[in-house]
Amino acid sequence: MPFDPVPALLSQATEQLEAEFTTLPPFAPTVDRGAMETVLAETARRLGDNYPYFHPLYAGQMLKPPHPLARAAYALAMNINPNNHARDGGRASTEMEIEAVREIAAMFGWPEFLGHLTSSGTIANLEALWVAGQTAPGRRIVASEQAHYTHRRISAVLKLDFGEVATDNRGRMDLGALEAELRKGDVGTVVATLGTTAMGAVDPLDQILALRERYGFRVHVDAAYGGYFKLIAGQLEDGARRAYAATASADSLVVDPHKHGLQPYGCGCVLFHDPAVGRFYKHDSPYTYFTSNQLHLGEVSLECSRAGAAAVALWATQQLLPLRPDGEFARGLGQGRAAALDLDRRLRNDEATSGGSRGLAAGGPELDIVVWKMAGETVEESSRLAQEIFVAAAALNLHLALVQLPEPWFQRGRPIEKEADSQLVTCLRSVLMKPEHEAWLESIWERLAAASASVVGGEER
Ligand SMILES: *Cc1c(COP(=O)(O)O)cnc(C)c1O
C-alpha cells in the first residue's frame, strides 16, 4: 500500500482536540493494549479477504476510496462520537453538517432548501419518496427501467404504486414511454436518474421538467451516483449537459457523498427545494433533548441517531476540496471520465487484441462507466465470454464488474423490440471513478487485452 499520511496527521490533530478539554480532571478509559493488539492483528488478516478497492487496478464496482483527510477527520471525530440527531448530541458537527449540505445545495443551484445527510442513498431516496407520497397521497411513483432497484422497493414500503418507464438503448428514460404513463393521469412523482448505477446513463431531466408543465407532477432526481458531475457538466455530451443544467428546477434531489464524494460509507444526502416540506417531519419526541431552540436536524430527518463523524469528514473534505467547477475535486471527476472515454475508444478501435471480437454499447459512456458486450453467436456465448474475461482479468489483478443489459441495445440502428428486450446479456462493466484511472488506463488495457486474448484466443486454438 502507498504511504499513508493518516496516522501522523491524526495523532497531531488528536493532541489538538485533547487541548480543547483541559479543564476536565484527567480520565482515560482502561483498555488492555496487548489483547487489543492481538485482536487487531487478526482483524487485519481477516480484512485481507477483499478486492483491493483502494488500488487503481480495481476498476469494477462503484467503489472510490475515501480521501485520507476524510478518514482522518472521521477518526478524529470518533474521540467525541457526536450524534447529529440533535444539537445537544453534536453541537459542532451539526453546524458542520449544515454548512456542508448548504455547499452541496449551492452546487445544484439551490440557495433555499431543506436538506440533511442520511446514512445512505437508499434512506435519502426513502425520505424523498415519503415526502412525495405525503404531498400527493395515492398517486403513483414512476422511474425508468434502469433506475436503482431501491425505488420499487421503497415505494412498496411506503405503500405507493410504482411504475417502470422504458429506456432507450443508452439506458435513458424514454420520453414517449413516460408521456404514455403520464396520460393515465395518476402519476404523482417522476424519478429522474442522473447517472444510473449500471452504466451512468443520464435521464433527460430538462425534458421531464417540460412535461411537468403539462401534466403536473413532482420531479425527484436520484443523483446518488452522478450528482457531482454537475461540476463538470460542461464537459459532457449535449443531452447530459442539458439535464444537469436543469437541476435547479427539481423538487427533491439525492446525492451520495459516499459514492463519488470521497467519503466513508454512511453518508448520503437529501435535498428538498421547498423548505416547507419540513412540516411532514413534525414529531413530538419525549426523548429528544431539545435544550436549544434552534432547529435540530433530528426534527427534519426520518432517522434518529446519525453519525456526526460523517458530517465532520464531509465538511473537512469540502474545506480542502471545495465543490467548484475549476477545483481539484472537479478535475478528479474529469480524469475518471477521460479514462472512461479512453477505454471506450480503445474498445472501439481494437482489432489486434480482440480480432474485432468485441461487441460494444451503442453509445459511449455518459459519465465514467464503460459497459461492453463480447461478440458471440448467441446471448449465452457472449455472456459466458464476459464471465470468463472477468475471472481471467482478476487473475491478472485487474478487477472489473459484470452487468446484465438488454441484448438489443447492442444491435445498432435496430429499434427497441419489447419482447427481445427481455433477453438479457451479461456484459463487462468498468467504473472508472478514481482520478488515478486516467494514468493507469494503459496498464488496465494491457491486462484487459491479455485476459480477453486468453479467453477468446484460447477458444480458437
Ligand atoms: C447507489 C445508488 C443508490 C443507493 O444508494 P446507497 O447509498 O447504496 O444506499 C440509489 N440510486 C442510485 C442511482 C445509486 O447509484
Side-chain angles (χ1 to χ4, degrees), residues 365-381:
E366 286 202 273
L367 301 179
D368 54 4
I369 302 174
V370 185
V371 170
W372 68 103
K373 188 194 93 160
M374 294 303 297
E377 293 295 312
T378 61
V379 163
E380 291 70 28
E381 189 193 350

Side-chain angles (χ1 to χ4, degrees), residues 62 120-123 125 148 150-151 193 195-197 222-225 256 258-259:
M62 289 174 169
S120 70
T122 299
I123 297 295
N125 277 309
H148 198 274
T150 198
H151 295 287
T193 306
T196 59
T197 315
D222 182 0
Y225 182 74
D256 258 359
H258 73 198
K259 283 254 179 76

Side-chain angles (χ1 to χ4, degrees), residues 11 39 102 143 156 178 204 230 242 269 288 306 335 357 371-372 394-395 398 403 408:
S11 91
V39 174
R102 192 185 296 135
L178 174 61
K230 172 83 181 181
R242 283 197 301 271
C269 177
T288 303
R306 290 178 314 119
Q335 287 173 301
S357 64
V371 170
W372 68 103
L398 172 65
V403 64

